[in-house]
């Protein structure tokens, strides 16, 4: 059984992650434009760093316009929120 945690990199999501980090099968996911993951200090790069620090699996879903349809972005958002 896995539990997906939507991790934005903001204070609220980091606090929630710290409360649930011991749950078996926990994995982190965030999304945004490809460039956000490469830029230091963005929510995406902070989320990745937090997940790495806690040794949790991390997945980044790119939402760059033209590369992913709106339906795909919406489906990913709904899946990540479960």
């Amino acid at each position: 059984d896995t539990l997906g945690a939507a991790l934005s990199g903001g204070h609220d999501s980091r606090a929630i992650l710290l409360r649930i980090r011991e749950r078996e099968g926990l994995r982190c996911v965030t999304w945004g434009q490809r460039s956000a993951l490469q830029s230091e200090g963005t929510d995406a790069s902070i989320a990745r760093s937090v997940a790495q620090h806690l040794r949790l699996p991390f997945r980044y879903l790119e939402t760059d316009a033209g590369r992913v349809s709106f339906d795909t972005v919406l489906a990913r958002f709904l899946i990540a929120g479960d």
Side-chain angles (χ1 to χ4, degrees), residues 70-80:
F70 174 78
D71 290 339
T72 300
V73 172
L74 180 59
R76 288 176 176 174
F77 174 79
L78 295 173
I79 289 168

Side-chain angles (χ1 to χ4, degrees), residues 32 39 49 59 69:
S39 301
S49 295
R59 185 165 178 205
S69 72

Side-chain angles (χ1 to χ4, degrees), residues 30 33-40 42 44-45 48 58 60:
T30 194
Q33 294 183 340
R34 183 180 335 137
S35 61
L37 195 56
Q38 306 306 320
S39 301
E40 189 175 326
T42 62
S45 66
R48 179 180 57 194
F58 175 79
Y60 187 73

Side-chain angles (χ1 to χ4, degrees), residues 4-79:
L7 181 59
S8 72
H11 293 285
D12 293 345
S13 69
R14 286 186 272 168
I16 292 168
L17 181 61
L18 288 174
R19 298 277 291 155
I20 65 172
R21 70 178 177 209
E22 300 299 325
R23 292 190 181 182
E24 189 173 330
L26 182 62
R27 57 187 169 77
C28 301
V29 62
T30 194
W31 53 89
Q33 294 183 340
R34 183 180 335 137
S35 61
L37 195 56
Q38 306 306 320
S39 301
E40 189 175 326
T42 62
D43 277 356
S45 66
I46 292 169
R48 179 180 57 194
S49 295
V50 169
Q52 288 173 341
H53 180 77
L54 296 175
R55 293 185 174 92
L56 294 170
F58 175 79
R59 185 165 178 205
Y60 187 73
L61 305 173
E62 295 177 5
T63 61
D64 291 12
R67 293 186 45 143
V68 180
S69 72
F70 174 78
D71 290 339
T72 300
V73 172
L74 180 59
R76 288 176 176 174
F77 174 79
L78 295 173
I79 289 168

